[in-house]
Amino acid sequence: MERILQSQDRSLQFDVVSNPEFLSEGTAIRDMENPDRVLIGARDTPSGGKARQAIVDLYAHWVPRERILTTSLWSSELSKLVANAFLAQRISSINSISALCEKTEADIQEIALAIGMDTRIGPRFLNASIGFGGSCFKKDILNLVYLCEYYHLTEVAEYWEQVVRMNEYQQARFLSRILSSLFNTVAGKRIALFGAAFKANTSDTRESPALQVCRALLEERADVVVTDPHALDNVRVDLGDDARRVTMEPDPYRAAMNAHAIALLTEWTLFSELDYEAIYHSMAKPAFFFDGRNILDHRKLFQIGFNVHAIGKPSLIHP
Ligand SMILES: NC(=O)c1ccc[n+]([C@@H]2O[C@H](COP(=O)([O-])OP(=O)(O)OC[C@H]3O[C@@H](n4cnc5c(N)ncnc54)[C@H](O)[C@@H]3O)[C@@H](O)[C@H]2O)c1
């Protein structure tokens, strides 16, 4: 920015201030009104100090002074990337353990509860799932990886890149569980995807693991139906040419009708309030349920008649 502005007009007087934002989709207004912290980075020069103070004064209207951190430009820019990298790392860490749980008799939700009660670890961001998505996590980690490679910090770059790889592995694992459970082929089988948004309470499908699962199922020639309360328009855009091969169905009951399997991919509350007894009776048999967000009562689904596969839990299969 500095170089671009400077090259336009050498007489320009300005300072670049870094003020990364930490808003999450769906809670952006709340995050802005009550931020954990505000970061303001600037150069350590008299004019940099003045510029930084102008931004501090702006935030001080509603943010307590002790939550406004002033740093160098690099610290501020890097803190943003590192915060997102740490959050994504937490998700990849719990997801990596979910793979081990599925091979043993451990339950990932019991483990998350147990480790989360250690106050040094804390309970937040420990839900195992089909993986993280959204416009920021992957982009910011890859930005960090790029910086490390630029400075020849190969081991550091590889360490963080693994967080992204684990996320892709989690989706690949979910897909192979669907394939192997459905007798190694989904060709021509109707699979209902419950949810397309990368998380609940947003219509955003950017980097959504649900779309990865959807594309992979299309590649296996499944008959894919997607239902989502808010994201179907974005699915159409993001899938491009593939959108023609997918049925978009706003009503989850209709989406599940005659399906061989349901894969729950976004944790919308709506999906935990459906009448699964009725859904089961409308489906092809044997009926399979893959809970990619662990939001349902799996034992209850099993009692209704479903074969149930959840993340990081032993499968519940009827003989
Ligand atoms: N979304 C934006 O437009 C935007 C813009 C600028 C900066 N950011 C930054 O990106 C960060 C992420 O924002 P976001 O909108 O993607 O939202 P987010 O942090 O709520 O979600 C990111 C990912 O984490 C997962 N996740 C959320 N809670 C979880 C839990 N308890 N356990 C396991 N996984 C969980 C979600 O499924 C999602 O895939 C923000 O904190 C902010 O720093 C976002």
Side-chain angles (χ1 to χ4, degrees):
M1 285 290 290
E2 233 167 29
R3 277 174 54 203
I4 293 168
L5 287 172
Q6 208 92 69
S7 65
Q8 303 290 321
D9 180 354
R10 287 254 149 226
S11 65
L12 273 180
Q13 289 256 312
F14 64 88
D15 260 87
V16 172
V17 174
S18 159
N19 174 211
E21 55 124 331
F22 294 95
L23 312 178
S24 296
E25 283 182 38
T27 56
I29 300 296
R30 195 171 71 209
D31 296 345
M32 188 187 67
E33 285 178 341
N34 189 21
D36 288 347
R37 77 318 206 175
V38 169
L39 269 183
I40 302 170
R43 280 195 206 295
D44 219 359
T45 59
S47 68
K50 261 169 87 179
R52 175 163 49 207
Q53 194 55 44
I55 308 293
V56 169
D57 292 344
L58 195 66
Y59 278 101
H61 285 291
W62 79 96
V63 181
R65 188 59 188 83
E66 65 276 12
R67 283 200 229 155
I68 303 176
L69 303 182
T70 51
T71 66
S72 72
L73 271 179
W74 265 102
S75 292
S76 168
E77 290 290 302
L78 269 189
S79 298
K80 163 68 188 284
L81 300 185
V82 174
N84 276 349
F86 266 59
L87 290 168
Q89 180 199 39
R90 229 169 129 87
I91 299 174
S92 279
S93 295
I94 199 77
N95 283 345
S96 72
I97 302 302
S98 76
L100 186 57
C101 288
E102 286 164 30
K103 296 286 182 199
T104 60
E105 285 175 10
D107 179 320
I108 196 64
Q109 284 178 307
E110 289 175 353
I111 292 182
L113 179 68
I115 65 167
M117 284 173 77
D118 184 324
T119 49
R120 294 166 301 176
I121 297 173
R124 295 173 69 184
F125 253 71
L126 283 180
N127 294 339
S129 69
I130 43 164
F132 60 79
S135 63
C136 287
F137 277 9
K138 185 175 170 187
K139 162 180 71 73
D140 284 351
I141 295 174
L142 294 181
N143 195 339
L144 190 64
V145 169
Y146 171 84
L147 283 170
C148 295
E149 280 171 356
Y150 179 84
Y151 289 108
H152 305 293
L153 301 169
T154 309
E155 284 76 5
V156 186
E158 284 172 355
Y159 177 78
W160 287 105
E161 196 166 13
Q162 192 60 25
V163 172
V164 174
R165 285 220 213 115
M166 187 54 63
N167 200 48
E168 289 160 357
Y169 172 69
Q170 189 73 349
Q171 287 151 41
R173 252 173 21 79
F174 188 75
L175 183 81
S176 51
R177 217 162 162 205
I178 296 181
L179 283 179
S180 63
S181 311
L182 274 87
F183 315 104
N184 294 318
T185 177
V186 288
K189 292 179 185 166
R190 184 174 165 101
I191 315 280
L193 303 185
F194 277 23
F198 80 95
K199 64 173 188 181
N201 305 319
T202 170
S203 61
D204 198 342
T205 50
R206 284 176 293 171
E207 299 293 337
S208 175
L211 290 193
Q212 279 309 105
V213 171
C214 178
R215 286 192 193 96
L217 285 170
L218 285 176
E219 210 141 282
E220 295 288 335
R221 292 183 292 118
D223 173 11
V224 179
V225 189
V226 183
T227 185
D228 189 289
H230 290 291
L232 291 184
D233 285 343
N234 285 331
V235 176
R236 276 187 200 99
V237 176
D238 286 1
L239 282 184
D241 284 348
D242 282 339
R244 278 181 283 123
R245 299 164 61 200
V246 172
T247 308
M248 313 281 174
E249 174 53 71
D251 178 356
Y253 290 99
R254 290 172 65 103
M257 214 171 273
N258 298 321
H260 291 77
I262 296 172
L264 192 153
L265 305 176
T266 310
E267 71 282 20
W268 289 105
T269 312
L270 160 84
F271 295 144
S272 51
E273 293 166 346
L274 299 175
D275 177 354
Y276 283 103
E277 189 97 41
I279 286 179
Y280 174 77
H281 288 296
S282 76
M283 288 174 66
K285 305 293 176 319
F288 292 84
F289 201 102
F290 300 89
D291 188 351
R293 296 286 177 175
N294 284 350
I295 58 166
L296 294 187
D297 181 338
H298 303 130
R299 191 128 294 276
K300 203 165 147 199
L301 287 177
F302 179 67
Q303 279 159 4
I304 289 173
F306 284 101
N307 293 303
V308 186
H309 299 270
I311 302 280
K313 288 164 184 273
S315 301
L316 301 170
I317 314 276
H318 290 282

